[in-house]
Amino acid sequence: MVVERMKQFVKPKFNSMKTYVKISILAVAVMVLFVRAMGTEKHAVQGADKAAVEIPADVKAVIDNKCYMCHSPEGRSADAKADLLWDSIPSYPKAKLIAKLDKIIDVLNDGTMPPAKFVESQPKAAITAEESKLLKAWAEKTADGLLK
C-alpha cells in the first residue's frame, strides 16, 4: 500500500491535455529566461573588456579634417572603412584598440596616410608634420594607458 501511494507522487498523472500543455509552456518559458540570463552575462563580460577612449578636441579636429572623410561609414573607400572606422573606436575591445593605435602610429611614421594619390586630388587632406606629431602622441599615450 505504501508503494502504491509513492507511485502517485513519483509519477504525476495529467488529468487533461490542458495541464500537459501548461507545464510544457512553463518549461519552455523557464528555458528562455535561462538562455536570456546567460546572454546578459556574456554581454557584461564583453563590456568589461571595452576601453574608454578620450579624444581631445585638437586631435578630434585633425581626425575630422584629415581622416574622417575616408575612415567613416560615409567614406568612399571600402578598404579604408575595413581598415579603420573612427566611429567604432570606442566599441573596440582593449586588445584590438591597442593594435589599431599601433597601426595609426606606423602609418603616420611611414607617411602612408593619407595616400599620395588622394593628396594629389585633395591637397587639403595632407597631414602636416605638426598634425602627425599630435596624432602620434595621442595614439602612443592612449595605447600606453591601456597597457597599464
Side-chain angles (χ1 to χ4, degrees):
M1 183 173 246
V2 173
V3 173
E4 292 298 318
R5 287 187 182 187
M6 289 300 287
K7 285 183 180 178
Q8 289 177 355
F9 293 108
V10 174
K11 288 185 173 180
K13 295 181 181 177
F14 298 112
N15 295 334
S16 69
M17 189 63 156
K18 286 182 180 179
T19 305
Y20 182 77
V21 170
K22 287 178 185 177
I23 291 173
S24 297
I25 290 172
L26 179 63
V28 169
V30 168
M31 288 182 358
V32 167
L33 290 173
F34 178 76
V35 169
R36 282 188 143 189
M38 292 304 290
T40 302
E41 284 183 30
K42 183 178 177 185
H43 290 357
V45 171
Q46 287 175 346
D49 189 37
K50 305 276 190 264
V53 178
E54 291 183 32
I55 303 176
D58 54 349
V59 174
K60 178 97 170 90
V62 174
I63 292 168
D64 288 347
N65 293 324
K66 308 292 177 135
C67 310
Y68 198 76
M69 64 188 84
C70 295
H71 296 281
S72 70
E74 295 81 26
R76 293 182 188 172
S77 171
D79 290 340
K81 290 191 280 188
D83 196 39
L84 172 68
L85 283 176
W86 285 101
D87 292 344
S88 299
I89 290 271
S91 67
Y92 287 157
K94 192 183 288 190
K96 184 175 182 177
L97 178 57
I98 292 168
K100 290 292 181 182
L101 291 168
D102 285 343
K103 185 162 184 180
I104 290 167
I105 294 165
D106 289 343
V107 299
L108 289 169
N109 282 335
D110 296 343
T112 55
M113 280 293 140
K117 283 186 176 182
F118 183 73
V119 174
E120 285 175 18
S121 65
Q122 301 288 328
K124 290 183 179 181
I127 294 179
T128 66
E130 184 179 310
E131 292 168 333
S132 179
K133 184 178 175 182
L134 179 68
L135 286 174
K136 284 190 283 189
W138 167 78
E140 289 170 355
K141 180 181 176 186
T142 303
D144 289 346
L146 292 170
L147 290 172
K148 292 180 182 178

